Amino acid sequence: MPGLPRRHLLLGLAATAIALRAAPPSEAQAPASAGPPDPALVEDLVAANRILVDQGVVDGYGHVSARHPASAERYLMARSIAPELVTAADIMEYDLDSVPVDARGRRTYLERFIHGEIYRARPDVRAIVHNHSPSVIPFGVTGVPLRPLYHMSAFLAGGVPVFDIRQASGGMTDMLVRDAALGRALARTLGPAPVALMRGHGAVVVGPSLPVVVFRSVYTEVNARLQAQAMALGGTVTFLDPEEARRAEASITGTIERPWELWKRKAQGR
Ligand SMILES: [Zn+2]
């Protein structure tokens, strides 16, 4: 039967093609792991998720990540799950293209590109929060700048840029940063700042550690609420002078471990 080997070959090729197609792209091209992260960092990342819920910064949506301590090219973030439900088992490792190292069928956040592209653009950043923090939303849509009006939010003194996804994409979107190009555009808008607002969506907050990024997320939300209240009173609002802000930030930065310890203990106690 001279035709048989050829038929076997074709069947073999077809089987290979089906097998290749069946492998999810993320697993077929999975990047190498930087190794297991420090359990203490994972514990802090889990705590950060719950603290941000407790403090009204995130709800069923929003996410927080940390750069991998062993590689600047990797970061750690939960699978797609509500922040309050995150446990250590949910933490996944991603490369800066936001491809998971070991997906194992787990779903990933649609807007993970926010994290990968900011880590790529900002070597100083070691933790990132993306949230839909309600009090900041009006400042993203009115052109009224968010400015520090008390010492706890002195870190806002350099200005809070606003990312407009319509300008970045050149058209209509579903408002989500769902690809690398939009993530890069957001990182460009953020520039060297600690916080950027996202028009009609929320905010991104960055910092050198999880305690700092959680602190900044909490007090960005509080400052926005207080600023709206102060402006509603109708008088002239006196914001922090840049020099006051510089001094206040230097003082407060040394005390961030105090609220972090409290918030973490409360978050772990339930
Ligand atoms: Zn979002």
Side-chain angles (χ1 to χ4, degrees), residues 15-185:
T16 307
I18 288 167
L20 284 175
R21 248 202 330 269
S26 59
E27 289 181 24
Q29 306 153 11
S33 173
D38 178 0
L41 180 70
V42 173
E43 181 185 295
D44 278 356
L45 186 51
V46 171
N49 274 276
R50 297 183 187 185
I51 292 166
L52 292 168
V53 175
D54 291 346
Q55 298 297 319
V57 174
V58 301
D59 48 22
Y61 295 94
H63 18 91
V64 49
S65 69
R67 202 189 285 267
H68 197 301
S71 170
E73 304 291 311
R74 299 284 183 273
Y75 69 92
L76 305 163
M77 188 166 67
R79 69 184 171 95
S80 181
I81 183 173
E84 193 163 6
L85 303 178
V86 171
T87 67
D90 299 308
I91 303 300
M92 296 171 65
E93 180 183 346
Y94 298 82
D95 71 2
L96 298 191
D97 292 329
S98 295
V99 177
V101 164
D102 183 18
R104 280 184 276 136
R106 292 174 290 181
R107 292 182 60 198
T108 54
Y109 291 125
L110 283 174
E111 296 193 283
R112 61 193 181 281
F113 303 98
I114 292 171
H115 302 259
E117 297 305 325
I118 290 175
Y119 285 124
R120 200 193 306 277
R122 290 278 302 271
D124 60 307
V125 167
R126 301 202 67 82
I128 300 174
V129 171
H130 166 56
N131 65 63
H132 308 152
S133 177
S135 303
V136 307
I137 302 296
F139 294 91
V141 300
T142 53
V144 175
L146 183 65
R147 296 176 59 189
L149 86 174
Y150 79 149
H151 63 315
M152 300 302 288
S153 49
F155 58 90
L156 297 174
V160 182
V162 178
F163 173 71
D164 190 334
I165 197 167
R166 199 183 300 167
Q167 287 173 5
S169 66
M172 298 298 147
T173 66
D174 61 1
M175 307 300 287
L176 300 179
V177 180
R178 56 168 62 244
D179 62 37
L182 288 169
R184 277 194 295 277

